[in-house]
Amino acid sequence: MISSRATTKVIVVGGGGTMGSSTALHLTRAGYTPSNITVLDVYPIPSAQSAGYDLNKIMGIRLRNRPDLQLSLEALDMWTNDPLFKPFFHKVGMIDCSSSDDGIANLKRKYQSLIDANIGLEKTNWLLETGEILEKVPAFTKDQVQGWKGLFCGDGGWLAAAKAINAIGHFLKYKGVNFGFGKSGTFKQPLFAADGSTVNGIETIDGTKYYADKVVIAAGAWTSTLIDLEDQCVSKAWVFAHIQLTPEEVKKYKNIPVVYDGEYGFFFEPNEHGVIKVCDEFPGFSRFKQHQPYGASSPKMISVPRSHAKHPTDTYPDASEETIRKAVARFLPQFKDKVLFNRSMCWCTDTADANLLICEHPKWKNLILATGDSGHSFKLLPNIGKHVVELIEGALPSELADAWAWRPGGDALKSRRGAPAKDLSDMPGWRHDAKI
Ligand code: FAD
């Protein structure tokens, strides 16, 4: 296979998003001929409906299992050293904090796992007492952080997300990769060779037919609406809002670590325009409706994303306004009366075990799925595509292949979160256009 890199044609559906753009990048880096690579998406790269189309995302190390740890460490190395990605990594550190007994016990367990992992991370991570949290974030007040404990991760920080995907887009254009966006980039169905089971291309909703040796479907939260994944992925929305700081206020928050509390949410230092993003932490919102993905024999209940890009008047449920305000009151009490703007939902897709779903479709040869992000995969932008290319070439290491295999069963609605997702149909407040 490796000898045919120069001649193998690959289509990447969802190539304007996180895993898709990374795949296209690694195809070019591995020596595939750029004019043999076709990147398709509903929106031009960086796709406005990608979960990665955002001001910032957390870069942290996941210790949950060996594949997660391996992937995080590879990503950390590339965000730190790869010239394409380096400009977008703000290594300000991250404080995982809590003031509840359970939360503090979790922080201690996590710290112990870092020591047990024995990969040097304990040198850049340490437990913080209240006073040390104040040193890291001088804008916090003593009263505010009374009783808090923190786990500081010096290797962490934040990633300028949409800008990083944009940089991949520029690189792909410069290399001469083919693009199809809009109706001629929007996947409709796979095309098959005469045997009826070998995929040899795809058709987009305007009727354009693209032919290739391999087709990668990296359509994020939309993947399960395009191809029947047998309920392995449930797509869910998470929410965020922005607050605007004055130049004086910005000075107090510049260069602080990302602050995260699993019972409240997280926030980032202000960006170059003085905007702070605040997220709450909750099990996500589903949007179930009758829908028939390709390969399903009849319509079935599927959680179908509804993007802010397509529905710009959508905000988030009233319940999210409360929880985001609660996070603001916890982290930034002096801003609790500030206007929240850009209040949005952003779509990811959970698997039951929170591992990725990166495998060849079991029935359709040459159709590669690269999805199941489970809400924690932006950080993998620099390296995930390398492993998709390994899969295309039949060279994915078995530990990764096993973790990411086709595996129906399990509860992707709850996944490994504290509770199943609530459905948007039960959550008033987010929809502001006419009901269809
Ligand atoms: P996406 O990046 O969403 O890409 C899917 C692409 O498919 C899109 O470009 C879309 O336009 C395209 N597409 C859809 N339908 C079609 C079609 N029919 N034809 C062609 N193309 C199509 N991760 C972290 O690592 N750190 C964080 O701090 C973090 N914070 C998050 C905060 C929020 C609020 C949310 C929602 C997510 C967060 N994540 C974070 C998760 C991360 O954003 C996702 O895991 C990751 O971006 C998913 O990548 P993906 O490639 O699977 O999907």
Side-chain angles (χ1 to χ4, degrees):
M1 173 66 208
I2 292 178
S3 60
S4 64
R5 281 177 177 168
T7 54
T8 300
K9 293 188 174 177
V10 185
I11 293 167
V12 185
V13 174
T18 311
M19 295 206 217
S21 63
S22 181
T23 300
L25 171 72
H26 281 277
L27 286 166
T28 62
R29 285 188 171 181
Y32 286 72
T33 305
S35 58
N36 285 340
I37 302 168
T38 303
V39 163
L40 302 177
D41 206 298
V42 181
Y43 291 96
I45 185 168
S47 162
Q49 65 177 5
S50 157
Y53 190 78
D54 201 352
L55 290 186
N56 39 37
K57 300 285 190 196
I58 297 172
M59 174 61 214
I61 304 293
R62 273 174 76 87
L63 291 154
R64 206 177 55 97
N65 55 31
R66 280 163 51 116
D68 277 5
L69 179 60
Q70 177 191 332
L71 272 270
S72 313
L73 292 174
E74 283 174 11
L76 176 65
D77 179 53
M78 287 185 75
W79 285 112
T80 309
N81 298 311
D82 189 301
L84 182 64
F85 294 105
K86 215 175 154 171
F88 307 108
F89 182 21
H90 298 256
K91 203 172 175 180
V92 288
M94 174 174 171
I95 308 178
D96 211 339
C97 56
S98 179
S99 58
S100 73
D101 291 347
D102 282 355
I104 292 171
N106 271 336
L107 295 181
K108 288 185 177 157
R109 268 195 295 275
K110 196 167 166 192
Y111 182 56
Q112 189 57 47
S113 312
L114 285 164
I115 294 169
D116 296 344
N118 196 22
I119 40 172
L121 284 175
E122 69 280 6
K123 296 196 186 99
T124 57
N125 290 259
W126 60 91
L127 289 168
L128 303 178
E129 293 299 326
T130 311
E132 295 163 309
I133 295 176
L134 272 181
E135 276 170 33
K136 296 272 177 220
V137 189
F140 282 167
T141 64
K142 210 169 165 190
D143 283 349
Q144 182 187 353
V145 297
Q146 202 56 51
W148 292 24
K149 295 263 191 293
L151 175 58
F152 180 71
C153 172
D155 292 310
W158 61 271
L159 310 163
K163 286 181 183 171
I165 298 181
N166 188 40
I168 297 181
H170 281 295
F171 178 81
L172 297 176
K173 276 175 210 155
Y174 166 75
K175 283 287 182 184
V177 163
N178 303 306
F179 294 100
F181 298 128
K183 288 185 175 156
S184 59
T186 303
F187 175 94
K188 182 180 169 203
Q189 58 186 3
L191 299 170
F192 290 91
D195 66 5
S197 63
T198 303
V199 169
N200 67 358
I202 71 133
E203 183 177 347
T204 50
I205 54 169
D206 67 345
T208 309
K209 292 182 172 150
Y210 298 88
Y211 292 93
D213 303 297
K214 301 278 177 183
V215 172
V216 178
I217 309 277
W222 287 265
T223 312
S224 53
T225 71
L226 305 180
I227 297 283
D228 185 15
L229 296 183
E230 299 178 8
D231 306 324
Q232 289 174 94
C233 291
V234 173
S235 296
K236 300 170 192 173
W238 279 272
V239 308
F240 64 83
H242 293 163
I243 51 181
Q244 180 68 56
L245 269 53
T246 64
E248 274 313 300
E249 291 165 343
V250 165
K251 282 184 202 153
K252 292 190 187 156
Y253 285 90
K254 222 42 213 153
N255 296 321
I256 59 159
V258 179
V259 179
Y260 178 93
D261 183 330
E263 287 157 59
Y264 291 85
F266 51 102
F267 81 101
F268 299 79
E269 67 166 312
N271 76 351
E272 67 272 30
H273 305 295
V275 173
I276 284 188
K277 183 179 97 173
V278 182
C279 292
D280 58 355
E281 196 50 285
F282 72 110
F285 297 126
S286 58
R287 183 169 167 265
F288 278 96
K289 53 194 280 193
Q290 286 288 323
H291 179 84
Q292 188 169 4
Y294 189 88
S297 52
S298 58
K300 56 194 234 178
M301 289 302 274
I302 289 204
S303 177
V304 177
R306 185 178 139 114
S307 75
H308 197 257
K310 251 190 201 151
H311 302 276
T313 58
D314 286 4
T315 55
Y316 52 42
D318 295 337
S320 302
E321 180 77 5
E322 261 180 55
T323 44
I324 291 271
R325 289 248 172 238
K326 209 168 133 197
V328 174
R330 169 83 169 173
F331 299 129
L332 307 157
Q334 67 280 40
F335 302 145
K336 70 179 175 19
D337 297 322
K338 276 202 188 257
V339 174
L340 294 173
F341 65 103
N342 287 344
R343 299 172 312 142
S344 310
M345 291 188 277
C346 148
W347 289 85
C348 298
T349 194
D350 272 358
T351 59
D353 58 8
N355 288 334
L356 298 167
L357 181 66
I358 299 186
C359 59
E360 187 169 36
H361 192 282
K363 285 191 243 152
W364 305 326
K365 195 168 160 9
N366 295 336
L367 186 79
I368 308 284
L369 300 161
T371 186
D373 67 283
S374 299
H376 55 77
S377 300
F378 184 80
K379 66 177 77 62
L380 307 181
L381 178 74
N383 58 319
I384 193 64
K386 183 179 85 156
H387 299 296
V388 179
V389 174
E390 286 170 350
L391 176 67
I392 288 173
E393 299 183 346
L396 184 65
S398 59
E399 192 173 27
L400 300 181
D402 291 347
W404 301 345
W406 183 267
R407 49 187 192 285
D411 182 2
L413 181 62
K414 178 161 181 293
S415 184
R416 297 177 57 95
R417 302 183 187 278
K422 290 185 180 163
D423 201 80
L424 280 175
S425 57
D426 301 323
M427 309 296 299
W430 58 273
R431 189 161 179 176
H432 307 286
D433 59 358
K435 277 251 184 259
I436 301 165

